[in-house]
Amino acid sequence: MHRVVGGLIAGLLLLAAPLAMAAESPAEQISGFRLKHGEGRVVRDATLDRIAMAQARAMAEKDDLSHDALGPFNKRVAPAGAGRAAENIAYGYDNFEKTLGQWIDSSGHRKNLLLHDASRVGIASAKNASGKRTYWAMVIAGDYEPKRGKGKKDTEPLVAVKRETAPASKPKSSNCHIKLLGLCI
């Protein structure tokens, strides 16, 4: 009797395992992939979700898979305040697991999923007018600037956000006569 009950429980656990995996949120699925490859977890971010949703909707409205459907990525992602960010887009699958698999199998998309020091992610999908095609957008970001101290606006970055496509800024003038190991003398 104990063997029968034990066997039934083991069988139910095996059946439940795929269901538990399917129940993982997109951020948990991305985090699981990242952890397997030496990178940290990511959490959903409302600002990145809005950026991804705007992109997914723009692609669906135009029925066109394009990173520029709503304008240049660096301008669209600027409100997130991240130092580094990447975007993956896709169409075709109705569920995130299959879309994630498609990205994992593509070297460029895989590189974005493994963006070093990323901590936040936004994910969205939208259907085209016919409802037959689902467009996906994912924005992953990291290198966020710390918040300012008391009396300062929390929304202002301490320094300009670094972007790979941004031109190098001019060095600020300083009253330093000698700069040694970051100390001004």
Side-chain angles (χ1 to χ4, degrees):
M1 178 71 167
H2 292 298
R3 284 186 181 174
V4 171
V5 172
L8 286 173
I9 292 172
L12 289 173
L13 289 174
L14 286 174
L15 287 173
L19 295 175
M21 285 182 84
E24 283 185 335
S25 73
E28 289 169 337
Q29 291 175 52
I30 292 168
S31 290
F33 174 73
R34 289 174 55 79
L35 289 169
K36 287 178 188 173
H37 293 88
E39 292 294 340
R41 292 185 175 280
V42 290
V43 295
R44 288 296 281 268
D45 180 86
T47 301
L48 295 179
D49 275 343
R50 283 191 296 276
I51 293 167
M53 180 54 78
Q55 175 66 13
R57 285 180 176 158
M59 291 186 301
E61 286 171 13
K62 295 177 180 182
D63 209 3
D64 182 32
L65 185 70
S66 169
H67 286 283
D68 294 325
L70 198 58
F73 177 67
N74 63 338
K75 290 186 191 235
R76 291 187 288 110
V77 79
R84 299 178 65 190
E87 176 179 69
N88 283 353
I89 58 174
Y91 76 83
Y93 293 117
D94 286 336
N95 68 59
F96 183 74
E97 287 120 308
K98 288 183 179 178
T99 302
L100 179 59
Q102 187 179 22
W103 287 334
I104 288 170
D105 290 341
S106 161
S107 63
H109 293 100
R110 181 185 183 96
K111 183 178 177 184
N112 288 348
L113 287 166
L114 296 173
L115 181 70
H116 185 63
D117 287 339
S119 58
R120 302 178 194 176
V121 68
I123 303 139
S125 65
K127 291 197 177 277
N128 68 350
S130 71
K132 293 181 180 178
R133 184 175 288 167
T134 303
Y135 286 88
W136 290 90
M138 178 209 72
V139 180
I140 189 166
D143 293 345
Y144 285 87
E145 295 296 332
K147 301 277 185 186
R148 287 184 177 251
K150 291 181 181 178
K152 309 280 179 160
K153 290 183 180 178
D154 283 344
T155 56
E156 293 182 39
L158 289 173
V159 295
V161 176
K162 296 177 185 173
R163 307 230 182 269
E164 289 182 24
T165 57
S169 60
K170 294 180 182 177
K172 293 182 180 178
S173 64
S174 165
N175 293 333
C176 291
H177 297 288
I178 300 173
K179 198 163 190 174
L180 180 64
L181 298 174
L183 298 173
C184 182
I185 302 173

